[in-house]
Every structure is written in structure tokens, then in C-alpha cells.
Amino acid sequence: MKPLRLRRLSAQVALVPTWIIVIFAYIGTILWTIRISFTSSGILPKYDFVGFKQYDRLFQSSRWTISVENLAIFGLIFVIGCLVLGFLMAVFLDQRIKGEGIFRTIFLYPYAMSFIVTGLVWAWILNPTLGIQQAVQNWGWHGFTFDWLSRGDRAIYLVGFAGMWQSAGLVMAILLAGLRGVDEDIWKAARVDGIPPWRVYLSIVIPMLSSMFVTAVVLLAIAVVKVYDIVVAMTGGGPGISTEVPAKFVIDYLFNRQNIALATAAASVMFVAVLVVLGPWLYNQYFRQDRRAS
Amino acid sequence: MTAETQPRGRKPRRLTASRIGIYAFLVFAAAFFLLPFYVMIVTSFKTMPEIQQGNIFGLPTDFTLKPWSTAWAHACTGVNCEGIRVGVLNSFEIMIPAATLSILLGAINGYALSFWRPRGGNLIFAVLLLGAFIPYQVYLYPLVRMLSKVSLYNTLPGIITVHVIFGLPVMTLLFRNYYVAVPVDLFKAARIDGGGFWTIFFQLMIPMSGPILVVAAILQVTGIWNDFLFGLIFAGRDHLPMTVELNNIVNTTTGTKAYNVNMAATILTALVPLIVYFVSGRWFVRGIAAGAVKG
């Protein structure tokens, strides 16, 4: 047997690629991004220091304000929609129904597809001239209008809706696994006591599934902050700038509008926001548990 | 996460009103989820004049396969009219090495972190964990600069590297959580038998890792195939993946929109992840549960 030090060494050597990635691609890039956000860089990076000037500009830019508002609207529709629809589907699937496997497969298949595909399909269905509106008018309801996709004040709702279509199955899958873990005795006890099923779900089952709900919300929240593809595919940020989102703001200013200082300031704001919200949860989830276990 | 067992809800009582309500809800929900797929299919078999009439939900009256061949071989992105087939090849060229490398690296990480407890292991784990949640926008610009420094920006190895970098958190978590459940005594026995780091990894751990390798493969194959952002920024003109090609074809501003061709191209792009989904069945759900990074 080799001495202990040597054996540990091979573990360290095996982790060299990971160390390189962690140091350069994760820590290094974040610090670099934050550094640029305090400069006056345009197309090329300039390493001067202008304080919080870019952040001032950012929060005065209506494009950014609209992006943040849209993120909130999208996030609310997407997360609440997925949770409600996903929970209902899971509960109804858990009633010893025939063809459960088929229903489950149908509910989850959109999740296998990309947000690009999702966005393109829904943009076509909701097309203001040839989509649902025209179809319903052809069926005889001539006054029917549904042109939200071309309306600046409504298009973002549809993006949230399309996102919900893609991801609701995810919540269904997570919660269904949770429902299958609920003790049969709880149902027997409730039946004996004559408690109606909806009441059992509301007061007993949902609290029991709270950790699964948290998991689902975290997964959905990550998707919300990262939302980019579906907007590009479905509306391209339009009409005008009415469906812009922060992630798209950053990409646009980095690669099309050549203002990397403003773009990195926006990226830094996103980073800090996520850190503040998720940091405590992550610590709780992983490191406190680890200590208890060892 | 609990393994799925038989349904354990309330016992069904004959065909009561509530049973009918349950089925009505499920059928309605299924129709909602299937509708876009149905629209994609019927649109892709219609001619443009028929589409102009506006019966988006109607079956094709003038059935044609032309949109499919156009989408495959002649659809235009700007001045390029080579169809979506270029993107298919690019996507495979990106996906196969990127998935393989990130799974291998994730397995090595998970194994090293859970059994060898190397110095700095907690730091690696913390950074990767946080990295999985942070929006990619924070990394993009410096990464572009770093990759162009080493001449990897806008190249095939470059986009593969990017996928490996950002696949690493989930892959590491996946394998770490799997190996943590492996009895330490097994590992200790292998050590007493004189097994070194790599011997134990390849001869003991990998043969035991079948299920988690399948889950990792499902996650990476669908994840990398469905990626749009990295392909757009890092792949370069010659290696654009299918998702980017598709968006370019559909959202091109020149010429009249050929919705039938667009939908055919969209189905073609969704095909690989859909096949993975239907073939893998319950494994896909396990992948979701595992991707849910439960510690």
C-alpha cells in the first residue's frame, strides 16, 4: 500500500480540471464581470473606475425597469401556474385511475422540449392574424379577437403561459412521487373520522409535501431568472421592448449594443439578487445537513 | 425521493360524479398539453394557401410533404439556404463529446468528493452548487475573453468546453449524492486490498454506477441538445446547433413566413429529446428527481 499522502495526491490530481474550472470559469468570471461593471467600458473593456455610474444608468433605463417588471410578471404566472396545475394533475392522477401512465407521459412530454420549440409553437398558435383568433372567427364567432401577442401590455402574460405549458409536468412528476409516499393509514384515519378528501389534502397532505414544493419552487425559480430562450423565440422582446427580460438585456448589451459595462452591471445585479435569495437556502439545505450527518 | 409504487390514493367507489369529474379534468388537461403538438403536425402537412385561410386547428385538406423536405434541405437563414440538416450534424458533434466529458468529470468529482475527502473539497462543492443556480449572464463576457485568449472562441472544442463547464455542477451533485449512499465499508475493503484512486474508480465504482449513468446521460443529452444560449454565443457560424438554426429560420426577417416549413423544422428539432423521453420512460422522471439536487 502506498503511503496515505500519495494516495490523497491522486485524488487531488483527478480534481485538477475541476479546480481549473472552479477558479477560472466560476470564481474568476464573476469577479471579472463585477470589475467591468465599475468601469466606463464600451465595445472593449477599459479598466478605469467610475464607481456606481453604470448602476445609476441601469436603474434609470426604462428598458431595464421594464425587463425587471416583466420578470416579475412572467415569474408569478409561471411559478403559480406550474404549481397549481402540477399539483392538481398529481392529485387527480393519484386516484387509482385507468391509463395513468398515458396521462403522465402526456403531461410531462413538453418538459423534454426546449424553450425555443415551446416559444415557436405557441407564437404560431397565438399568431394574431392566422392563429386562434382567425380559427374562432372561421367557426362563426366573427367578433372574436385574441391579439395579446401583438399587444405590448399583454404579450408577457402569454410568454408566462407558454412557459407554464412546458414546465407544469415537472411539478406534477415531483409531487406525484411525494403523494405516493403519503402513508395509507392517513387516508384510512381520515375516512374513519369522516373528513372530506379535499380537507385532508389541504390540511395534511400539502404540509407533508412541503419539502417537495420547495424543491419545485427552487427549480422553477432558477428557470425564471434564466428566462431568455422562450422570449427570443416567442416575441423577440417585442412588440417594441414590451417583453424584454433581464437575461436578454444583458446579452443584447454585451453582443449587439456593445456596452459591456452596462451589461455587466445588469449581470451583477442579477447575481447579487440570486445570491441574496438563494444563499441562505443553499446553506441550510446542504451544509447544515452535512454537519449533522457527520 | 421515494420510488414510485402503486397508486395509494383513496379506493375508487364505482362510477360516481366525482370519478367522472376526475376523468374530465384529466382528459381536458391532456388535450391542453397535446394541442400544440397537434397544431405543429397538421401545420407541417398543409400548403401555404391553406394556412392563409386561417383554420389552424383543421386537418390538412391538401396534404403535402413539401414543407418537410424544404425544412430539411432548403430553408433559409438569411442568405444561407441549406435547411436544418446542417444544425442536426452540429448538434450531434457538440452533444456527444460534451455529454461524455461532463458525465465522466462529474463521476470523478462525485467519487473523489464523497470518498477521498480531498483538501478544498467543500470549497469545490460550494462553488459548484452556487454555480448551478447563478444566471449564466454573469459568466458570459469573461468566458468569451478567456476562450478567445486560448483560441477556442467560436470553435467546436470551445462550445464543448462551455457545456462541460456548465454541466459540471449538476453532474457532480448527481454522482456525489449517488456515491454517498454507497457503503463506506465497501470502499475501505477495496483500499485494504491495495486499490488506488483510479483502480477503485474504474473497477468498483463505475460498474456500480449503471442507474446513475443512465440518468446523467438523459439529463445531459436533452440539456445540451436543447441549449440555445451557449450555442448562440460560443459555437461560431460553422457549428451553430439546431436550436439556433431553427430560431434563425423561423424568426428570419426576410421574405414571407412559411409557417408549414417552420413547424416541420420545429418538430425535427424537438425529435431527439422527445425520442429520449419516450424511450427512457420512468428514467426520465428519475432524472428530474435527481436534477432536483436533493441533498
Side-chain angles (χ1 to χ4, degrees):
Chain A
M1 243 166 87
K2 285 185 275 181
L4 183 82
R5 203 159 24 89
L6 262 174
R7 273 185 278 115
R8 295 257 164 173
L9 189 69
S10 48
Q12 293 285 13
V13 171
L15 285 175
V16 164
T18 304
W19 273 114
I20 293 173
I21 289 175
V22 162
I23 291 169
F24 287 96
Y26 284 96
I27 300 175
T29 49
I30 292 174
L31 294 177
W32 195 344
T33 292
I34 294 173
R35 173 71 185 94
I36 296 174
S37 73
F38 289 108
T39 68
S40 61
S41 312
I43 295 182
L44 292 170
K46 213 169 21 165
Y47 293 100
D48 53 352
F49 184 80
V50 297
F52 284 91
K53 202 178 130 218
Q54 302 295 348
Y55 292 86
D56 276 344
R57 275 185 58 196
L58 182 68
F59 283 102
Q60 276 162 23
S61 138
S62 61
R63 197 186 177 93
W64 174 254
T65 325
I66 289 172
S67 299
V68 174
E69 280 170 14
N70 282 337
L71 188 72
I73 298 172
F74 173 87
L76 278 177
I77 294 175
F78 177 74
V79 173
I80 294 175
C82 284
L83 285 180
V84 172
L85 189 57
F87 176 70
L88 287 178
M89 292 190 301
V91 167
F92 283 81
L93 275 183
D94 196 34
Q95 308 297 326
R96 291 176 184 261
I97 56 140
K98 286 203 185 78
E100 184 199 322
I102 297 168
F103 281 118
R104 214 180 34 208
T105 306
I106 292 172
F107 294 163
L108 191 58
Y109 90 92
Y111 193 68
M113 301 199 292
S114 61
F115 269 136
I116 290 290
V117 167
T118 305
L120 293 178
V121 176
W122 280 102
W124 169 229
I125 295 175
L126 300 166
N127 184 305
T129 47
L130 292 174
I132 285 183
Q133 175 175 308
Q134 189 60 45
V136 174
Q137 284 177 5
N138 287 1
W139 290 337
W141 183 358
H142 298 291
F144 181 81
T145 52
F146 190 73
D147 55 354
W148 284 18
L149 207 57
S150 58
R151 281 179 56 177
D153 57 336
R154 297 285 165 82
I156 190 68
Y157 297 107
L158 295 182
V159 181
F161 178 81
M164 182 197 77
W165 174 83
Q166 198 260 4
S167 299
L170 166 77
V171 178
M172 181 275 297
I174 293 174
L175 293 182
L176 188 59
L179 287 173
R180 292 289 147 82
V182 172
D183 198 333
E184 179 79 358
D185 290 344
I186 288 174
W187 288 110
K188 282 186 191 148
R191 221 162 26 232
V192 170
D193 289 348
I195 304 168
W198 65 266
R199 195 58 226 241
V200 181
Y201 276 113
L202 219 59
S203 309
I204 300 172
V205 174
I206 290 186
M208 281 177 77
L209 297 184
S210 58
S211 74
M212 308 243 161
F213 273 103
V214 171
T215 304
V217 169
V218 169
L219 283 180
L220 296 174
I222 298 168
V224 169
V225 179
K226 289 179 177 172
V227 65
Y228 172 74
D229 312 13
I230 193 168
V231 173
V232 171
M234 211 168 154
T235 65
I241 56 166
S242 60
T243 51
E244 291 287 338
V245 284
K248 188 166 177 298
F249 182 98
V250 175
I251 307 283
D252 286 351
Y253 276 88
L254 274 185
F255 299 104
N256 305 328
R257 296 170 156 254
Q258 324 280 8
N259 193 334
I260 59 173
L262 190 64
T264 49
S268 304
V269 170
M270 291 174 75
F271 167 66
V272 171
V274 169
L275 208 58
V276 167
V277 175
L278 273 182
W281 176 80
L282 281 177
Y283 180 79
N284 234 354
Q285 184 88 348
Y286 287 90
F287 290 93
R288 273 217 346 231
Q289 263 180 12
D290 276 6
R291 223 182 298 152
R292 231 182 296 138
S294 56
Chain B
M1 196 140 294
T2 341
E4 276 180 66
T5 53
Q6 285 304 300
R8 286 207 272 166
R10 293 168 303 129
K11 287 245 167 66
R13 288 152 259 157
R14 291 143 291 137
L15 202 66
T16 58
S18 68
R19 294 297 290 174
I20 294 169
I22 288 168
Y23 280 104
F25 173 86
L26 289 172
V27 169
F28 188 76
F32 166 64
F33 282 99
L34 286 175
L35 179 81
F37 204 76
Y38 166 80
V39 169
M40 268 199 280
I41 303 251
V42 293
T43 306
S44 73
F45 290 116
K46 286 177 186 173
T47 58
M48 267 320 281
E50 190 185 344
I51 289 174
Q52 304 289 1
Q53 292 165 14
N55 286 320
I56 190 172
F57 301 115
L59 286 167
T61 50
D62 196 5
F63 187 89
T64 170
L65 285 171
K66 190 94 194 316
W68 287 81
S69 57
T70 310
W72 179 250
H74 308 292
C76 298
T77 62
V79 287
N80 270 338
C81 292
E82 291 172 309
I84 197 90
R85 62 182 168 178
V86 194
V88 183
L89 197 63
N90 290 341
S91 275
F92 275 113
E93 276 179 352
I94 295 168
M95 185 265 284
I96 292 169
T100 313
L101 279 175
S102 59
I103 292 169
L104 184 67
L105 211 52
I108 294 172
N109 280 349
Y111 160 69
L113 290 178
S114 39
F115 288 111
W116 294 83
R117 311 208 166 245
R119 193 171 298 174
N122 267 342
L123 179 67
I124 287 185
F125 188 61
V127 171
L128 288 182
L129 192 59
L130 208 58
F133 293 95
I134 291 170
Y136 296 131
Q137 278 68 20
V138 187
Y139 314 115
L140 289 181
Y141 182 73
L143 211 52
V144 168
R145 302 284 302 201
M146 285 178 189
L147 288 176
S148 23
K149 258 268 162 28
V150 289
S151 311
L152 284 178
Y153 184 49
N154 282 343
T155 67
L156 189 58
I159 174 73
I160 292 169
T161 308
V162 171
H163 277 300
V164 171
I165 289 173
F166 293 111
L168 206 51
V170 174
M171 289 299 107
T172 303
L173 279 170
L174 204 62
F175 282 97
R176 174 190 170 273
N177 290 351
Y178 185 78
Y179 290 139
V180 157
V182 172
V184 185
D185 289 342
L186 202 66
F187 173 71
K188 280 183 181 155
R191 290 278 299 276
I192 289 165
D193 281 352
F197 182 86
W198 293 111
T199 324
I200 298 178
F201 180 64
F202 283 112
Q203 291 183 6
L204 182 67
M205 294 301 164
I206 289 292
M208 285 182 9
S209 308
I212 204 69
L213 285 172
V214 174
V215 167
I218 291 171
L219 279 179
Q220 286 306 83
V221 168
T222 52
I224 294 170
W225 189 277
N226 283 341
D227 158 71
F228 174 76
L229 180 64
F230 297 142
L232 182 71
I233 294 172
F234 292 98
R237 206 166 285 251
D238 297 332
H239 302 285
L240 290 180
M242 216 174 167
T243 46
V244 179
E245 295 266 1
L246 172 71
N247 190 56
N248 287 346
I249 288 174
V250 175
N251 284 326
T252 188
T253 41
T254 50
T256 49
K257 295 210 168 203
Y259 296 107
N260 49 1
V261 174
N262 291 350
M263 285 302 116
T266 309
I267 297 172
L268 286 170
T269 308
L271 218 49
V272 166
L274 280 180
I275 290 171
V276 171
Y277 173 69
F278 285 113
V279 170
S280 62
R282 295 204 164 204
W283 288 94
F284 189 86
V285 179
R286 277 193 68 175
I288 287 176
V293 290
K294 292 274 292 168

